[in-house]
Amino acid sequence: MKRRDILTALATGGVVAYGPVARAASDGAPPQPWQWIERRGHDEEVAGTPLQFMPSLRDTRPLEDELRKFPLCPYCGMSRGHAQWQKTRHLIHYLDDSVDPTCSIRCAALSLGLNLDLVPKAIHGADAGSDESIASLVEVERLHYVIDPSRPGTMTRRSKWAYAALEKARAAANGTGELADFEQTLRAAYADMAEDTLMIRKRRAEQRG
């Protein structure tokens, strides 16, 4: 699927007028490419995503020093730099330069579902087949996903790992996984979300004793 088709399918509307605005540096220093952003109030008659669910960071160059700037997933709190989870992390860069850095496509699906008024500029996923110590981020239209019910994934019973190289994706599938593109994998993430939520809540209840 072409990049334009993916982003058009995910974008159901333009950027709303009450969207995020960058906070000016209080010491008069030049603004950084990334910074916390303040939310303006909005007209009660205007419908949109509640502000607490919208991305809280803006960055014009989100891939630079990415894990230092975005160490945690805002939806589940997991470390995006963890030895295993860094291989499944995603990053959504919206048209207004707001950024949602997630641990997985599962949490990326939450961002895309909640922020229907924000248009994705680019969506990146980790290349699980990367030879680097930290898997590089690649635009999702260049990734080959492997949906594998025989392996647990990040925040999901059914793993959904992505590979830049098709031959590595085929090797990872190994007879039990199914090759898919980003849109197909996003659909699978939504389909799995009910079971995944029950699983996660059960595990956390057990941890609390």
Side-chain angles (χ1 to χ4, degrees):
M1 188 176 189
K2 293 182 179 179
R3 170 190 173 87
R4 179 179 299 176
D5 295 334
I6 292 174
L7 299 185
T8 300
L10 293 172
T12 61
V15 179
V16 292
Y18 56 82
V21 292
R23 182 174 64 198
S26 59
D27 58 1
Q32 298 299 313
W34 67 278
Q35 55 191 301
W36 292 105
I37 53 182
E38 296 174 350
R39 300 296 183 183
R40 293 182 293 181
H42 58 82
D43 190 329
E44 292 180 356
E45 297 180 358
V46 178
T49 304
L51 298 184
Q52 65 266 32
F53 295 125
M54 295 177 73
S56 59
L57 286 172
R58 172 172 286 171
D59 193 338
T60 59
R61 299 188 295 273
L63 298 186
E64 293 182 6
D65 205 11
E66 170 240 347
L67 284 176
R68 182 187 69 81
K69 293 186 292 188
F70 314 122
L72 300 177
C73 176
Y75 295 95
C76 65
M78 292 172 66
S79 168
R80 301 176 67 250
H82 184 277
Q84 178 177 348
W85 302 325
Q86 57 91 8
K87 293 183 178 180
T88 62
R89 74 191 193 281
H90 281 63
L91 185 144
I92 305 171
H93 190 195
Y94 287 106
L95 198 59
D96 67 348
D97 283 329
S98 58
V99 180
D100 239 359
T102 70
C103 67
S104 60
I105 194 170
R106 181 261 185 190
C107 289
L110 288 175
S111 176
L112 292 167
L114 288 169
N115 295 291
L116 293 177
D117 291 318
L118 295 181
V119 181
K121 179 189 297 186
I123 304 173
H124 292 83
D127 174 14
S130 172
D131 295 327
E132 302 172 17
S133 57
I134 300 295
S136 53
L137 289 178
V138 178
E139 289 180 321
V140 293
E141 65 270 14
R142 294 170 48 206
L143 289 171
H144 308 278
Y145 285 81
V146 177
I147 304 172
D148 191 346
S150 72
R151 294 196 302 171
T154 303
M155 302 294 289
T156 181
R157 289 176 181 268
R158 189 166 55 148
S159 66
K160 302 170 185 70
W161 288 39
Y163 300 83
L166 179 58
E167 60 273 17
K168 290 188 177 181
R170 286 172 172 162
N174 194 29
T176 60
E178 175 187 354
L179 292 179
D181 61 20
F182 174 74
E183 184 175 332
Q184 292 168 326
T185 310
L186 185 65
R187 290 177 184 272
Y190 284 121
D192 290 349
M193 204 164 287
E195 289 296 327
D196 293 341
T197 299
L198 292 173
M199 174 192 70
I200 294 164
R201 285 192 170 276
K202 180 180 179 181
R203 285 181 179 176
R204 292 188 176 176
E206 292 172 348
Q207 291 171 356
R208 290 193 296 269

